[in-house]
Amino acid sequence: MDEFTVVVDDHEFTATWVAENPETRAAIADALPIEGRASRWGDELYFSTDIEVPIENARETVEPGTLAYWPQGQAVCLFWGPTPASTDDEPRAASPVNVFARITETTPLSRIDGGARMRLSSKK
């Protein structure tokens, strides 16, 4: 399973797993489907989960389209642009995150407010 689906409100995206954090990737994959009501923080959406994964190869600055797990808040995050923690145009998390996947098309995300339903599920 190299890909999975991310749905944010009525927008569907194909996400590709990355090998950077294998423990995080496995924990997320095993938990699918997962969903929640996402909060928006700059150009980031995030929602809380019951998943517990320690800090792996965590980092604060990520590329647009990054899906990451935030150990400090037990949350899944989707970044596509600057956040309040950014010092330039790069997405920056509030504290280090474990990157586990990427999406390539992020344009529709800018029109989404906080409170969006976000769902990660296996590819059909």
Side-chain angles (χ1 to χ4, degrees), residues 12-61:
E12 185 171 312
F13 306 91
T14 296
T16 305
W17 297 104
V18 297
E20 189 174 328
N21 294 296
E23 190 176 332
T24 303
R25 175 183 166 164
I28 299 291
D30 289 348
L32 293 179
I34 54 175
E35 65 182 286
R37 177 109 14 229
S39 297
R40 185 165 175 177
W41 191 61
D43 287 350
E44 172 194 351
L45 288 172
Y46 67 94
F47 67 94
S48 296
T49 70
D50 292 332
I51 299 166
E52 290 187 49
V53 182
I55 290 176
E56 205 167 355
N57 294 308
R59 53 194 170 109
E60 289 183 8
T61 302

Side-chain angles (χ1 to χ4, degrees), residues 98-122:
N98 300 347
V99 174
F100 64 85
R102 295 210 186 338
I103 63 171
T104 54
E105 176 53 45
T106 61
T107 304
L109 295 171
S110 294
R111 295 187 294 274
I112 294 171
D113 293 325
R117 292 293 306 161
M118 193 165 152
R119 178 179 172 86
L120 284 62
S121 59
S122 300

Side-chain angles (χ1 to χ4, degrees), residues 83-101:
T83 68
S86 297
T87 56
D88 53 25
D89 289 341
E90 278 190 311
R92 180 177 290 272
S95 59
V97 293
N98 300 347
V99 174
F100 64 85

